[in-house]
């Protein structure tokens, strides 16, 4: 196997195994809420704890990835994430201790996702990077769906704690897998582990970060709250086991995000990053604004809508991240992606909590509106990015790749 292809395959498998941890709590949210008598805000905060840990660690992880072996950073992050999640399954008995272990798992996860993008950006040139990152982020989305499917199935057969543990083991072994079968690019650009402040004066970069923040506000709110929403819909509530059906539907929906990422990456290499993100983010925002009012839909129609929604929610992820790698210096790609993720995932710390607060007072219809507003912010940032790039002196092939 070609070294570049093997690097993509290994990094994607490691990410897939690790992200099972990210969303196993969300998949089992209804059971954990019942077991611990959580309010909407507490349930959102438990998910947000993972995001908070991720946010705290993401800049240090990016700096280390830019200055040392990215492969080792990913390996340590994956195994640490799995061990912290197993501790959650075995030891957490309430809100506070649950928040602690989810926070620690999030800290270690910071060493996986973004450093993995940095790792692949070294192996792939800009002309093929959109497709490569589409495969990689597609593994993220596929793993999200698998997490819901596996967690729901295991919990139905055994117990939610067993389900958390079972979906955490893969991350523990992912670290040794990365060390054994991947290697860092021999000509990888290396920085001096200092933060390059020029990033903060790069307007194109800052606007791309704004696009990503709007995207993550929407998508992570959906990922955390969709099972609970589906249990409340007419079609799912009437099933023999609403919780299992909600988990299966959410898993199928999130798995389609893998297809969305692949198509988004391909489209962005073909028609441009800007055009791809504009089409996808507009469509997902419209569904987010409407879906909370559609709890009366029949099961076939609801399922079809969810599958389309799942593909759209993630299709702008790889084009946005690819754009970030193209507007900064090669030696700063790791920290640039980390700052992007810091901004984006700071939004995900808030988004599920805001959703829960609005849910407690006004119901799901208005709670989903808060997610559409996040997507709208991303669209405004995209417009500013497009205008900035039109004014910047770039080579014709670069302008074409961005969709200018």
């Amino acid at each position: 196997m070609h070294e570049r292809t093997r690097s993509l395959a290994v990094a994607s498998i490691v990410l897939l195994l690790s992200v099972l941890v990210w969303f196993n709590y969300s998949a089992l949210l209804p059971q954990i809420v019942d077991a611990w008598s959580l309010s909407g805000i507490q349930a959102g905060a438990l998910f947000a704890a993972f995001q908070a840990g991720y946010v705290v660690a993401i800049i240090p992880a990016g700096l280390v990835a830019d200055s040392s072996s990215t492969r080792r950073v990913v390996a340590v992050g994956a195994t640490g994430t799995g061990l912290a999640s197993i501790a959650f399954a075995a030891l957490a008995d309430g809100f506070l201790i649950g928040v602690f272990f989810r926070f620690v798992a999030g800290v270690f996860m910071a060493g996986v996702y973004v450093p993995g993008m940095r790792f692949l950006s070294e192996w792939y040139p800009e002309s093929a990077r959109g497709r490569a990152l589409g495969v990689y982020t597609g593994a993220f989305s596929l793993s999200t769906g698998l997490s819901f499917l596996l967690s729901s199935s295991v919990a139905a057969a055994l117990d939610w704690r067993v389900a958390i543990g079972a979906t955490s083991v893969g991350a523990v072994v992912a670290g040794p897998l990365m060390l054994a079968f991947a290697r860092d690019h021999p000509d990888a650009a290396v920085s001096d582990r200092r933060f390059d402040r020029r990033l903060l004066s790069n307007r194109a970069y800052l606007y791309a970060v704004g696009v990503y923040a709007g995207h993550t506000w929407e998508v992570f709110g959906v990922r955390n709250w969709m099972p609970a929403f589906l249990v409340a819909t007419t079609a799912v509530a009437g099933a023999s086991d609403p919780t299992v059906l909600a988990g299966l539907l959410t898993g199928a929906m999130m798995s389609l995000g893998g297809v969305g990422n692949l198509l988004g990456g391909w489209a962005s290499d073909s028609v441009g990053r800007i055009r791809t993100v504009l089409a996808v983010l507009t469509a997902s925002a419209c569904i987010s604004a409407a879906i909370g009012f559609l709890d009366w839909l029949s099961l076939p129609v609801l399922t079809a809508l969810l599958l389309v929604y799942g593909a759209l929610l993630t299709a702008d992820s790889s084009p946005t991240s690819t754009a970030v790698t193209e507007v900064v210096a090669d030696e700063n790609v790791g920290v640039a992606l980390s700052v992007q993720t810091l901004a984006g995932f700071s939004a995900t710390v808030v988004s599920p909590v805001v959703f829960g607060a609005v849910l407690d007072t006004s119901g799901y219809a208005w709670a989903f509106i808060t997610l559409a507003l996040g997507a709208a912010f991303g669209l405004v940032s995209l417009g500013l990015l497009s205008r900035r790039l039109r004014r910047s002196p770039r080579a014709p092939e670069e302008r074409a790749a961005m969709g200018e």
Side-chain angles (χ1 to χ4, degrees), residues 29-396:
L29 189 148
Q31 295 96 313
I32 297 174
V33 165
D34 289 342
W36 293 351
S37 300
L38 301 175
S39 67
I41 291 178
Q42 286 178 317
L46 249 174
F47 180 78
F50 188 101
Q51 311 297 99
Y54 189 89
V55 165
V56 166
I58 192 61
I59 296 297
L63 290 170
V64 173
D66 277 343
S67 60
S68 59
S69 169
T70 309
R71 177 176 61 103
R72 291 192 179 94
V73 174
V74 172
V76 172
T79 297
T81 298
L83 292 175
S85 186
I86 289 174
F88 176 90
L91 303 174
D93 58 1
F95 174 70
L96 292 178
I97 191 68
V99 163
F100 172 76
F101 284 123
R102 289 290 293 175
F103 178 86
V104 173
V107 167
F108 278 102
M109 188 66 202
V112 182
Y113 183 43
V114 170
M117 283 194 284
R118 207 277 190 197
F119 173 77
L120 292 175
S121 71
E122 292 290 350
W123 283 103
Y124 283 85
E126 289 186 7
S127 60
R129 195 175 295 167
R131 280 164 283 185
L133 292 186
V135 172
Y136 181 71
T137 55
F140 188 113
S141 298
L142 177 60
S143 182
T144 301
L146 288 175
S147 184
F148 280 93
L149 291 169
L150 294 173
S151 299
S152 299
S153 300
V154 174
L158 298 170
D159 175 75
W160 69 262
R161 291 184 182 275
V162 177
I164 294 284
T167 50
S168 303
V169 173
V172 176
V173 302
L177 180 69
M178 186 72 180
L179 294 176
F181 295 101
R183 72 183 184 94
D184 292 298
H185 193 283
D187 299 319
V190 177
S191 75
D192 57 4
R193 201 177 288 193
R194 296 178 184 174
F195 181 79
D196 188 345
R197 295 184 181 180
R198 289 176 296 178
L199 283 175
L200 302 182
S201 60
N202 183 338
R203 291 190 181 182
Y205 169 70
L206 294 178
Y207 294 146
V209 168
V211 176
Y212 189 75
H215 155 80
T216 54
W217 176 285
E218 179 187 33
V219 71
F220 277 84
V222 172
R223 283 171 173 167
N224 186 65
W225 282 105
M226 185 54 69
F229 167 67
L230 290 176
V231 168
T233 63
T234 301
V236 176
S240 58
D241 195 333
T243 300
V244 172
L245 179 57
L248 293 175
L249 286 173
T250 304
M253 171 189 174
M254 297 305 171
S255 295
L256 261 291
V259 176
N261 272 303
L262 291 173
L263 293 176
W266 172 83
S268 74
D269 280 346
S270 301
V271 303
R273 321 292 182 212
I274 300 294
R275 294 189 186 100
T276 301
V277 175
L278 175 62
V280 169
L281 196 54
T282 299
S284 68
C286 290
I287 297 178
S288 291
I291 194 168
F293 296 93
L294 302 177
D295 56 356
W296 47 269
L297 290 176
S298 65
L299 186 58
V301 176
L302 179 61
T303 300
L305 178 62
L306 290 174
L307 295 180
V308 172
Y309 194 26
L312 289 170
L313 278 170
T314 60
D316 55 332
S317 181
S318 57
T320 304
S321 295
T322 304
V324 166
T325 70
E326 293 168 346
V327 296
V328 300
D330 289 346
E331 65 270 19
N332 291 326
V333 165
V335 72
L337 289 168
S338 295
V339 173
Q340 169 204 326
T341 305
L342 173 64
F345 283 77
S346 293
T348 70
V349 173
V350 180
S351 174
V353 180
V354 170
F355 189 107
V358 175
L359 173 64
D360 286 343
T361 59
S362 304
Y364 279 108
W366 294 104
F368 272 99
I369 292 291
T370 67
L371 305 185
L373 292 175
F377 176 83
L379 288 169
V380 171
S381 299
L382 183 68
L384 294 171
L385 173 61
S386 179
R387 185 174 67 177
R388 180 66 182 176
L389 291 175
R390 284 197 299 269
R391 295 177 177 178
S392 300
R394 296 168 62 86

